Amino acid sequence: MRAAAEQAAQALRDEILSGAIPSGARLGEAELAGRLSVSRTPIREALSRLAAEGLVEIQPNRGARVASWSSEQLRDIFELRLRLEPYAVRQAVPNLDAEQIAELDELAAEMMRVGKPGRNQNLAAIVELNRRFHGLFIDAAGSPPLAQALRGVTHAAVVTQNFHDYAPAALLRSLHHHVEMVAAARAGAGEWAEAIMRAHLYNARATMIGHGPEEAGAQEATTGRGSEGAGAQEATTGRGSEGAGAQEATTGHATTMGVRA
Amino acid sequence: MRAAAEQAAQALRDEILSGAIPSGARLGEAELAGRLSVSRTPIREALSRLAAEGLVEIQPNRGARVASWSSEQLRDIFELRLRLEPYAVRQAVPNLDAEQIAELDELAAEMMRVGKPGRNQNLAAIVELNRRFHGLFIDAAGSPPLAQALRGVTHAAVVTQNFHDYAPAALLRSLHHHVEMVAAARAGAGEWAEAIMRAHLYNARATMIGHGPEEAGAQEATTGRGSEGAGAQEATTGRGSEGAGAQEATTGHATTMGVRA
DNA sequence: TCACGAAAAGTTGTATGCAATCCTTGCCAT
DNA sequence: ATGGCAAGGATTGCATACAACTTTTCGTGA
């Protein structure tokens, strides 16, 4: 897979993560092919890749849609992140060189800048910055299997984590966590960074899906629980999508994207 | 993706997991297409899927190979499994119904049968049984994100875990773990099952890659560590592969498959 | 003899055409 | 009026043809 397919995948990734294409929206192959000026073949390739990353869901003979997550799945995702990401950060800290720490510093600072309440608060920009921030730590952990396991859920969660639902106080906490994490990394204190990451995730989870692990009364007697069948229940989110006018959609931030129920 | 592609993916998965196709072997699209009697298109689709699962590695413009893991990656994989799979088992236990427990029982018993030392010890069969055993627990945990994260590493590890390297005593321990896990599940004792799974993984890791976490002296100053570039360093494992004579290869168990360095 | 380079063969990447499946719309019977 | 059914349209899945890249091989010159 190269040039066309990779490019198409990246374009779609950006559009999805930025919210230009709302979650649940249908992704017709012909439409995408026309819009991105490539054939359907690389489009299919790209959709496969994004499906593997968890960004889109493919149903046989029925096309692809932008993925969406139930609040239950969201709980699962955070449970997973809590189990892996603090560990990843601890492993990463000793591996970080000066350049990487500088980049983390820059990212954290930039997020503080664009996230500061008031006008010209650019929440959409945070999504991408945040993704790079977490991604840098994950890569630096130096464990490809760990990175692969986390990629999907950070993508997924980050998309959902559209920061629009953040209460101002929680958002500020989150941004300060980033800064503190950089400080911990610079000090070479892996366990410090790990602790902050854990707090970071708890904070995010609390705003995302009511707080607490809800450990008790969790099973609620869902008998078999048929593995993982496609659970996209008619999420046809607007978007008439006549002609090739997808440009102006880029500006509109989706408000409650990702969360299904 | 359906019929042809799914079928091709399953066929390749089986051949890889059973060891019929040795790790590191090249997977030419044309050859596979001819052998499985489908076009190259579904083959590419299948390879993409398997790459997402971590079973094959794709290098742009250079084709696909059966994945192989360095002993360092193997350590990473077990670190990941240790972090996720015991938890998965604990979550799964309350969800298991009688039928599933019966199936687990059957699988554990069957593994004891075919794994018992002596002649007609069928090690190849254990790989598949073991995969189903672990997979059943993982699915029953009821967390699609968790399942996806684990799928890759259990696949990978199970492939490597070809049981040929097991010392007889370690293999027996492993088989007894399965039986005990079923007992714990039947008793509804999630924490018991969790503990056994943890021991199970430690035991596997010890035979796989020298024991111990090797926590100290782990960083060994690998400076940048360029994210995740393709690190398949000429693993051209024999297999002249003239003509379409891939049938007889099905019988030969690869002896030290998966482990690269 | 070795190194460098170019051509050729083989393989992957992309585009397009056709077949199969699914969804929609309209009609008919109850 | 509502439910079921069939035909049409639209979309996905697969196959094949062509283009681009990579690797190998053979030849030439130092």
Side-chain angles (χ1 to χ4, degrees):
Chain A
M1 179 208 273
R2 220 173 107 182
E6 179 62 35
Q7 184 179 341
Q10 188 56 42
L12 279 178
R13 214 190 323 258
D14 287 346
E15 288 187 313
I16 293 174
L17 289 174
S18 73
I21 304 181
S23 107
R26 219 177 147 322
L27 297 170
E29 298 180 1
E31 178 201 352
L32 295 174
R35 193 151 62 82
L36 301 177
S37 301
V38 290
S39 153
R40 275 179 50 214
T41 308
I43 292 290
R44 288 177 64 84
E45 186 92 25
L47 288 177
S48 275
R49 255 182 96 110
L50 296 179
E53 293 178 13
L55 277 179
V56 312
E57 294 170 349
I58 295 181
Q59 293 166 286
N61 285 318
R62 300 185 53 185
R65 316 180 85 92
V66 178
S68 58
W69 299 271
S70 68
S71 56
E72 185 181 357
Q73 280 179 313
L74 227 52
R75 257 213 332 261
D76 295 340
I77 285 174
F78 271 99
E79 193 59 44
L80 200 58
R81 289 185 72 179
L82 272 165
R83 227 155 260 280
L84 297 182
E85 211 164 353
Y87 164 70
V89 167
R90 193 183 69 204
Q91 296 297 111
V93 164
N95 298 334
L96 291 169
D97 59 26
E99 186 185 356
Q100 289 169 308
I101 290 183
E103 185 174 352
L104 288 169
D105 197 28
E106 175 60 33
L107 288 170
E110 182 69 13
M111 275 189 273
M112 284 291 285
R113 220 169 297 141
V114 301
K116 191 140 280 181
R119 331 167 292 86
N120 74 6
Q121 179 191 35
N122 188 352
L123 292 174
I126 295 190
V127 175
E128 175 61 16
L129 292 169
N130 186 63
R131 193 170 73 88
R132 283 165 56 194
F133 186 88
H134 285 253
L136 208 155
F137 269 112
I138 290 171
D139 287 339
S143 168
L146 176 63
Q148 187 185 351
L150 268 172
R151 278 258 166 261
V153 290
T154 50
H155 266 174
V158 162
V159 171
T160 313
Q161 188 178 7
N162 58 352
F163 297 93
H164 287 85
D165 298 337
Y166 265 106
L171 175 58
L172 272 183
R173 273 199 297 273
S174 183
L175 299 180
H176 281 298
H177 287 154
H178 292 146
V179 176
E180 182 170 356
M181 229 177 293
V182 175
R186 183 174 282 120
E191 297 184 355
W192 179 11
E194 176 185 6
I196 281 292
M197 176 56 88
R198 187 164 278 121
H200 185 61
L201 291 173
Y202 278 123
N203 179 55
R205 181 171 76 173
T207 59
M208 203 68 56
I209 47 166
H211 38 285
E214 313 285 350
E215 193 86 35
Q219 40 259 51
E220 57 202 17
T222 51
T223 51
R225 209 155 206 306
S227 65
E228 60 181 275
Q233 48 188 20
E234 264 335 295
T236 32
T237 322
R239 192 164 221 261
S241 145
E242 296 292 288
Q247 235 62 345
E248 82 289 353
T250 313
T251 60
H253 314 145
T255 44
T256 56
M257 79 203 203
V259 187
R260 187 157 51 201
Chain B
M1 180 210 270
R2 221 173 107 180
E6 179 62 35
Q7 184 178 340
Q10 188 55 42
L12 279 177
R13 215 189 324 257
D14 288 345
E15 289 186 311
I16 293 173
L17 290 174
S18 73
I21 304 181
S23 105
R26 220 175 148 327
L27 297 170
E29 298 179 0
E31 179 200 353
L32 294 175
R35 194 150 62 81
L36 300 179
S37 301
V38 289
S39 155
R40 276 179 50 213
T41 308
I43 293 291
R44 288 176 66 82
E45 187 92 24
L47 288 176
S48 274
R49 256 183 95 109
L50 296 179
E53 293 178 14
L55 277 180
V56 313
E57 294 171 348
I58 295 181
Q59 293 167 286
N61 285 318
R62 299 185 55 185
R65 314 181 85 91
V66 178
S68 59
W69 300 271
S70 69
S71 55
E72 184 181 357
Q73 280 177 314
L74 226 51
R75 259 213 330 263
D76 294 341
I77 285 173
F78 271 99
E79 193 59 42
L80 201 59
R81 290 186 70 178
L82 272 165
R83 229 156 258 280
L84 296 183
E85 211 164 352
Y87 164 71
V89 167
R90 192 184 70 203
Q91 296 297 112
V93 164
N95 299 334
L96 292 169
D97 58 26
E99 185 185 357
Q100 288 170 310
I101 289 183
E103 186 174 351
L104 287 170
D105 196 28
E106 175 59 32
L107 287 170
E110 181 70 13
M111 275 189 272
M112 284 291 285
R113 219 169 297 142
V114 302
K116 192 140 277 179
R119 332 166 292 85
N120 76 6
Q121 178 191 35
N122 188 353
L123 292 175
I126 295 189
V127 175
E128 175 60 16
L129 293 169
N130 186 63
R131 192 169 73 88
R132 283 165 56 193
F133 186 87
H134 285 253
L136 209 155
F137 270 111
I138 290 171
D139 286 339
S143 168
L146 176 63
Q148 187 184 352
L150 268 172
R151 279 261 165 257
V153 290
T154 48
H155 268 175
V158 161
V159 169
T160 313
Q161 187 177 7
N162 56 353
F163 296 93
H164 288 85
D165 298 338
Y166 264 107
L171 175 58
L172 273 183
R173 273 200 297 273
S174 183
L175 299 181
H176 281 297
H177 287 155
H178 292 145
V179 176
E180 183 170 356
M181 230 177 292
V182 175
R186 182 173 282 120
E191 298 185 354
W192 179 11
E194 177 184 7
I196 280 292
M197 175 58 87
R198 188 165 276 122
H200 185 60
L201 291 173
Y202 278 123
N203 178 55
R205 181 171 77 173
T207 60
M208 202 68 55
I209 48 165
H211 38 284
E214 314 286 350
E215 192 86 33
Q219 42 260 48
E220 56 201 19
T222 51
T223 51
R225 210 153 206 308
S227 65
E228 60 181 276
Q233 48 189 19
E234 265 335 295
T236 31
T237 322
R239 190 165 222 260
S241 144
E242 297 291 290
Q247 235 60 347
E248 81 289 354
T250 315
T251 61
H253 314 145
T255 43
T256 57
M257 78 202 203
V259 187
R260 185 157 53 199

